[in-house]
Amino acid sequence: MSVFLSVENINLTYQTPEGETQAVKDVSFTVREGEFISIVGPSGCGKSSLLSCIAGVTLPTKGRIMLEGRRINGISNDAGYMLQSDNLMPWRNIYKNAVLGLEIQKKLTDENISYVRELLKKYGLWEFRNSYPASLSGGMRQRVALIRTLAVRPRLLLLDEAFSALDYQTRVNVGRDVYNILRSEKQTMIMVTHDIPEAVSMSDRVIVLSQRPAVIAKTVEIPFGAQRDTVAVRNTQQYRDCYDIVWKEMSM
Ligand code: ADP
Ligand code: MG
């Protein structure tokens, strides 16, 4: 398969009154369409900085990022960006939250509205469409946030610690739901996490970053294929082998 996204020699240095902080150093990698990539690394190493460059929210100091042959140099609708907090609006019901992105982008067409309805039905939220976020569990709210992000059909989905506000059990289950949703929608996805089990169970490739400034310390291919059960794979020897490789690299 051909290159879908290419991250080329990305460097990012923040200028602050106290001086310069180099967050990302010479990071390059490519992603194929439909691939799931995890970026892991120690806290404060530059993971979010790198992802925000891919989102076009932050401009790198050096290097460039190409998505389907077009350079990313600002915020665009091509990338859907989802953060830790679900950011649902408490005064809007679930349906109104799910169509918010379409509303903002002025894309409330019949076709897009029926796509949102289909997503809500497919992923167990249709009966809650008139409920408000406060009455839903953390896992359900995160699914609504995901549907809102997918509704605008981003070419690339970026998740930054999207599950870390959830308790462990919910997090594992939401991870499985999100994984299945994204595979069935044939999304291309890059997620940042500090959770090694999440990275190994949910991706095709794990990129391990070093301490700040982040350089790529190692890339680990994950052998489970697209049709995996992200919970069941955790009991396999292959999972433990991948986990150990990532763990060792992060402990160095
Ligand atoms: P991570 O997501 O891996 O925890 P970040 O990318 O958030 O790390 O941060 C990497 C480094 O860059 C940290 O030292 C952080 O303090 C610094 N940093 C992040 N954002 C900014 C900013 N907007 N201005 C200045 N320094 C920043
Ligand atoms: Mg971060």
Side-chain angles (χ1 to χ4, degrees), residues 169-183:
Q169 193 73 28
T170 307
R171 177 178 185 139
V172 169
N173 289 327
V174 172
R176 172 159 62 184
D177 289 348
V178 166
Y179 179 89
N180 292 336
I181 293 171
L182 298 183
R183 284 294 196 202

Side-chain angles (χ1 to χ4, degrees), residues 38-180:
S38 283
I39 297 173
V40 301
S43 177
C45 77
K47 300 182 292 297
S48 297
S49 299
L50 175 59
L51 203 68
S52 75
C53 289
I54 299 171
V57 171
T58 305
L59 291 179
T61 317
K62 227 173 81 187
R64 62 173 198 172
I65 299 168
M66 304 291 288
L67 177 62
E68 297 186 294
R70 296 184 304 274
R71 186 170 187 166
I72 295 179
N73 55 7
I75 298 172
S76 102
N77 296 337
D78 289 338
Y81 197 15
M82 212 171 115
L83 307 172
Q84 179 176 333
S85 130
D86 56 50
N87 280 316
L88 297 182
M89 303 208 164
W91 60 88
R92 286 184 154 232
N93 67 25
I94 296 313
Y95 173 78
K96 285 280 185 189
N97 266 288
V99 297
L100 183 64
L102 289 173
E103 224 175 273
I104 291 171
Q105 291 185 17
K106 301 199 174 14
K107 287 185 188 161
L108 270 178
T109 61
D110 289 347
E111 192 195 347
N112 288 337
I113 288 172
S114 54
Y115 182 53
V116 170
R117 288 165 165 262
E118 183 197 318
L119 290 171
L120 288 170
K121 284 178 188 159
K122 211 158 140 191
Y123 304 119
L125 290 160
W126 181 246
E127 58 188 289
F128 300 98
R129 64 190 180 282
N130 297 317
S131 306
Y132 287 82
S135 65
L136 268 58
S137 68
M140 290 168 86
R141 285 203 300 269
Q142 208 58 357
R143 284 213 304 277
V144 177
L146 182 69
I147 290 173
R148 181 187 56 196
T149 308
L150 294 180
V152 299
R153 300 177 205 258
R155 298 293 296 144
L156 175 66
L157 183 69
L158 305 171
L159 304 177
D160 192 343
E161 307 272 8
F163 316 116
S164 48
L166 305 169
D167 64 79
Y168 177 74
Q169 193 73 28
T170 307
R171 177 178 185 139
V172 169
N173 289 327
V174 172
R176 172 159 62 184
D177 289 348
V178 166
Y179 179 89
N180 292 336

Side-chain angles (χ1 to χ4, degrees), residues 228-244:
R228 74 186 78 176
D229 176 327
T230 62
V231 178
V233 293
R234 296 178 188 220
N235 290 315
T236 64
Q237 186 57 44
Q238 284 169 311
Y239 169 86
R240 285 187 282 275
D241 293 344
C242 293
Y243 182 101
D244 287 347

